[in-house]
Amino acid sequence: MTANSPAAAAAFAAPPVDQRRAVVALIALSVSAFTFVTAENLPGGLLTLIAPDLGRSTSEVGLLVTAYAAVVVLASLPLSRLTRRFPRRWVLAATTAVCTVGTLWSAVAAGYVDLMAARMVTALGQALFWSVVTPAAASLFAPAVRGKMIARLAIGNSLAPLLGVPLGTWVGQQAGWRTAFLVFSVVSLLACLAMAIAMPDVDAEQSGTATGTHPSMRRFVVLMVVTVLLVTGGFMMITFVTQFLLETAGFPDRYLSALLLGQGAAGLAGTLLIGQVLDKRPWQTVLVALGLLTGALVLLWSLGHVPAVALAGLALFGLAFSAIPPALSFLSMQVAPGATESATAISSSVFNIGIGGGAALGALVVATVGIDTVPLVGAFFVLAALVVVAVDVRIAARRTAMPHADVPGITPRRP
């Protein structure tokens, strides 16, 4: 059966399971992603509430986020390999249950050390969740639409900074920071139950998601390099965006929530838009998004002192940055040189390295040069990622043009 035969085309478009059940499962997975990302970043929004209540400095409370990311970096690949023989449905339900327990534990923590322990447990659940969720979600749908569905899964990620952290911060201000963790523990529990009930059991081998469809160690390494460069540059800006808006753009404090809400809304739009093109031109999509992100950072550096331009640059930044992670997840599944879950585990670890590196480098730039320079330094990292992708796409195009070339990582043409 050839790649262009009617039978192959039918298999490419055929859903592997009942699609109504698959959509319910995808929603549950997206809600779980929303809860994990919110739980990871919630201490940042509750910083000034947790610190005095536990008798700690704000920098010590900030370590709750740093240590969380460190656990995800270290635990993703080992946990993925330890659980690879278990059904994905129950592994994902178990990780969400860990999030439920961890956030509930955070709500009743007796002190700083107890809260740190609760955070570490939650981080273990997140490490495994991100290792398996993308291949598991992709396996529920036909190969022809998997990129779109991965982008829809990422809606939960986009909603976390747009809705989750602001909502958690507001609840904390109204009813105490412990109540905020309790609320998201309930949300996580509901996602866990929905996942356990609705998610079909799909064999990864039969669905074609157990290994890369076009395995290539070279292209996988390219993706990891792009990921660390992109996230480092992007999180330099994300970490210090509030300070930039106040000191450089000159916005009053009272507008911050609305400005960040606008950035989050643009990010949600980017996640929705990329799903429309990701299945057809994934590499080119990454190129365009990286170009837009570079342009947004340069705009913020050069004209960020003009409030209207800063607002436009912030929206463009949110749109472009949120579009790239779903594309990288989709591509890592395609070019994974071995098991896709190992590839996504490594990708998750690299992403979190970029988060930590971006925050640390941004702090260094602010301390030595000033907040105005942060977008420019971030733009250099994103531009480097753009160059890496452009060179790789050019190499792949040359190999495709060679007669009888077998080019890994290039999706075969479908009728």
Side-chain angles (χ1 to χ4, degrees):
M1 183 172 64
T2 65
N4 292 320
S5 69
F12 189 65
V17 297
D18 178 75
Q19 291 301 277
R20 289 174 297 181
R21 189 175 176 185
V23 168
V24 173
L26 184 68
I27 293 172
L29 291 172
S30 188
V31 171
S32 187
F34 165 80
T35 309
F36 269 120
V37 175
T38 300
E40 180 176 10
N41 295 288
L42 192 54
L46 300 172
L47 199 69
T48 56
L49 299 176
I50 297 175
D53 186 51
L54 298 183
R56 298 282 179 154
S57 67
T58 54
S59 60
E60 287 176 303
V61 175
L63 287 175
L64 295 172
V65 177
T66 305
Y68 191 108
V71 170
V72 174
V73 169
L74 296 174
S76 294
L77 187 57
L79 287 177
S80 172
R81 290 182 173 178
L82 282 173
T83 60
R84 60 186 174 185
R85 297 187 182 279
F86 294 95
R88 299 298 89 182
R89 172 188 183 184
W90 299 113
V91 169
L92 286 164
T95 62
T96 310
V98 169
C99 184
T100 302
V101 172
T103 48
L104 179 60
W105 184 358
S106 297
V108 299
Y112 179 79
V113 175
D114 200 27
L115 180 57
M116 179 66 80
R119 297 281 297 168
M120 298 302 95
V121 169
T122 311
L124 288 173
Q126 178 164 325
L128 181 55
F129 177 83
W130 288 121
S131 299
V132 302
V133 67
T134 302
S139 70
L140 302 175
F141 299 95
V145 297
R146 282 176 179 167
K148 179 187 291 186
M149 295 306 162
I150 289 172
R152 290 183 178 176
L153 171 68
I155 291 174
N157 310 25
S158 298
L159 283 176
L162 174 63
L163 178 63
V165 175
L167 176 62
T169 303
W170 181 82
V171 170
Q173 291 171 338
Q174 304 305 311
W177 66 269
R178 296 179 185 276
T179 305
F181 279 103
L182 181 62
V183 167
F184 286 103
S185 178
V186 173
V187 174
S188 183
L189 176 62
L190 294 175
C192 175
L193 294 174
M195 199 181 307
I197 294 170
M199 189 167 180
D201 289 313
V202 181
D203 185 271
E205 294 288 348
Q206 292 180 355
S207 67
T209 57
T211 57
T213 53
H214 301 86
S216 169
M217 177 60 77
R218 179 185 65 81
R219 301 207 89 174
F220 181 71
V221 171
V222 165
L223 283 178
M224 295 306 98
V225 171
V226 169
T227 298
V228 75
L229 289 172
L230 156 73
V231 178
T232 298
F235 266 84
M236 287 183 66
M237 190 65 210
I238 290 170
T239 305
F240 294 95
V241 65
T242 299
Q243 184 177 349
F244 183 87
L245 290 171
L246 292 175
E247 297 182 11
T248 301
F251 285 103
D253 288 1
R254 63 182 181 274
Y255 293 141
L256 276 180
S257 296
L259 291 169
L260 296 177
L261 187 66
Q263 181 192 22
L268 178 60
T271 304
L272 294 172
L273 287 172
I274 198 173
Q276 305 306 311
V277 296
L278 188 53
D279 287 291
K280 297 178 180 179
R281 295 184 177 275
W283 290 95
Q284 290 77 6
T285 300
V286 173
L287 271 175
V288 172
L290 286 171
L292 291 175
L293 188 59
T294 304
L297 288 168
V298 171
L299 184 65
L300 287 168
W301 166 70
S302 59
L303 295 172
H305 59 280
V306 181
V309 177
L311 185 61
L314 190 66
L316 183 60
F317 178 92
L319 178 78
F321 188 85
S322 295
I324 300 173
L328 295 179
S329 295
F330 180 55
L331 285 169
S332 67
M333 282 190 58
Q334 285 192 333
V335 303
T340 53
E341 290 183 3
S342 295
T344 53
I346 294 170
S347 180
S348 176
S349 295
V350 171
F351 199 96
N352 278 273
I353 290 171
I355 291 175
L361 185 57
L364 177 64
V365 172
V366 170
T368 57
V369 185
I371 185 65
D372 293 357
T373 313
V374 166
L376 178 62
V377 179
F380 279 118
F381 278 88
V382 178
L383 180 61
L386 174 63
V387 171
V388 171
V389 176
V391 170
D392 180 78
V393 169
R394 187 174 181 84
I395 291 172
R398 286 179 176 176
R399 292 187 177 183
T400 304
M402 294 171 59
H404 310 298
D406 181 17
V407 183
I410 300 294
T411 305
R413 181 176 296 178
R414 300 290 178 179

